[in-house]
């Protein structure tokens, strides 16, 4: 079977480091889906706005090919515990296909680019190919009583964030909320605990530099443009 993208999603993430590990964690993180000309018919989107959420099927387009590995080390388990690949949402599955549940925020039709779908809670690199969109149906897709494995056990983990107002004011109010929530999710590799190490996340056109000590993330510098391709600056 051969599949082709129906469009591409454009987000505030120009590099993989810092992207949320799950969709839906930060609704303020928005994406703009632009569709291929084949799918510019308004009829294809009839009824879509009757749903609050949709599933995106998309491609890990920046993954480097590597041999299949039966186990992976989930970051939330400290990066030193192995789990079966099918018990995780690691990007390194046999097929590089992602699945995300995102909030439908807006649908409009541009004279040049056709339908544009704005969604919230994204976890994709800008320019990621979208293979399909399917509606989220609460009575079948939601199972609040279901067991969540190790993911449920670590779901409440987050850092306190100190982001001085004079630094965060480079962003709009909405993006300030988004970047603070993003940092609270702890974008560092899980095995790194050096309080003197300096990190950077490139978000919405700015490099945000920070340190982490005793559960507190402190932003010390914001630089316009990308300073380095990093996890460390």
């Amino acid at each position: 079977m051969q599949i082709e993208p129906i469009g591409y999603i454009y987000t505030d993430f120009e590099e993989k480091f810092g992207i949320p590990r799950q969709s839906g964690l930060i609704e303020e993180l928005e994406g703009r889906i632009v569709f291929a000309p084949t799918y510019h018919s308004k009829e294809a989107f009839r009824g879509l706005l009757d749903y609050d959420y949709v599933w995106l099927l998309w491609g890990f387009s920046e993954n480097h090919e590597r041999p299949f590995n039966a186990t992976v080390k989930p970051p939330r388990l400290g990066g030193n515990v192995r789990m079966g690949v099918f018990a995780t949402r690691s990007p390194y599955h046999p097929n590089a296909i992602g699945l995300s549940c995102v909030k439908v925020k807006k649908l409009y039709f541009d004279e040049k680019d056709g339908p544009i779908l704005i969604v919230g809670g994204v976890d994709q690199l800008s320019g990621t190919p979208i293979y399909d969109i399917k509606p989220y149906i609460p009575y079948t897709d939601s199972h609040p009583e279901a067991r969540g494995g190790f993911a449920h056990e670590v779901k409440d983990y987050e850092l306190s964030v100190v982001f001085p107002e004079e630094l965060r004011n480079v962003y709009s109010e909405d993006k300030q909320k988004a970047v603070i929530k993003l940092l609270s999710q702890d974008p560092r590799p899980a095995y790194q605990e050096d309080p003197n190490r300096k990190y950077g996340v490139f978000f919405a056109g700015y490099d945000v530099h920070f340190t982490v000590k005793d559960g507190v993330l402190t932003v010390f510098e914001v630089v316009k443009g990308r300073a380095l391709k990093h996890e460390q600056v």
Side-chain angles (χ1 to χ4, degrees):
M1 183 178 68
Q2 190 170 9
I3 58 175
E4 298 291 337
I6 63 171
Y8 295 84
I9 187 168
Y10 299 94
T11 71
D12 285 317
F13 296 105
E14 298 292 334
E15 62 183 34
K16 292 187 289 184
F17 184 71
I19 294 178
R21 296 183 175 96
Q22 304 288 345
S23 63
L25 288 174
I26 307 172
E27 189 176 306
E28 290 86 353
L29 293 177
E30 291 190 347
R32 177 173 60 94
I33 302 176
V34 180
F35 294 87
T38 302
Y39 309 103
H40 280 195
S41 169
K42 291 184 179 181
E43 291 300 300
F45 300 87
R46 183 191 295 178
L48 183 64
L49 292 180
D50 293 336
Y51 297 93
D52 285 329
Y53 294 87
V54 292
W55 294 102
L56 302 181
L57 288 98
W58 50 277
F60 286 98
S61 55
E62 297 298 313
N63 272 9
H64 300 295
E65 290 188 13
R66 68 180 190 180
F68 172 70
N69 196 331
T71 62
V72 295
K73 295 179 179 180
R76 278 290 184 258
L77 293 181
N80 53 18
V81 177
R82 286 196 172 273
M83 301 292 290
V85 65
F86 297 122
T88 75
R89 292 189 177 184
S90 163
Y92 294 104
H93 275 240
N95 295 299
I97 297 175
L99 177 68
S100 297
C101 185
V102 296
K103 184 173 180 60
V104 176
K105 290 200 164 186
K106 186 178 181 180
L107 174 66
Y108 65 94
F109 293 84
D110 181 83
E111 186 173 334
K112 176 185 176 183
D113 294 327
I116 307 292
L117 180 62
I118 307 297
V119 295
V122 301
D123 59 343
Q124 291 86 20
L125 192 69
S126 192
T128 291
I130 301 297
Y131 293 128
D132 211 342
I133 295 175
K134 298 179 184 291
Y136 172 90
I137 301 174
Y139 77 88
T140 57
D141 294 350
S142 177
H143 300 279
E145 76 288 353
R147 293 182 298 156
F150 76 88
H152 183 79
E153 296 171 9
V154 298
K155 69 181 178 64
D156 295 326
Y157 170 81
E158 64 178 30
L159 298 173
S160 297
V161 176
V162 176
F163 199 153
E165 184 176 355
E166 65 271 18
L167 295 179
R168 68 174 186 262
N169 278 342
V170 299
Y171 290 117
S172 66
E173 186 174 341
D174 285 346
K175 290 201 186 298
Q176 286 184 37
K177 293 178 182 178
V179 71
I180 289 172
K181 289 183 179 180
L182 176 68
L183 294 171
S184 75
Q185 294 296 310
D186 195 354
R188 300 173 301 160
Y191 52 83
Q192 295 181 2
E193 291 291 345
D194 182 356
N196 297 314
R197 189 164 186 169
K198 299 174 181 178
Y199 301 88
V201 167
F202 187 63
F203 175 75
Y206 291 89
D207 238 345
V208 180
H209 299 164
F210 62 90
T211 58
V212 179
K213 182 178 180 180
D214 298 331
V216 179
L217 183 152
T218 302
V219 176
F220 65 87
E221 183 181 42
V222 176
V223 180
K224 186 173 178 58
R226 189 182 314 197
L228 291 171
K229 187 172 184 179
H230 45 242
E231 61 191 41
Q232 181 181 0
V233 297

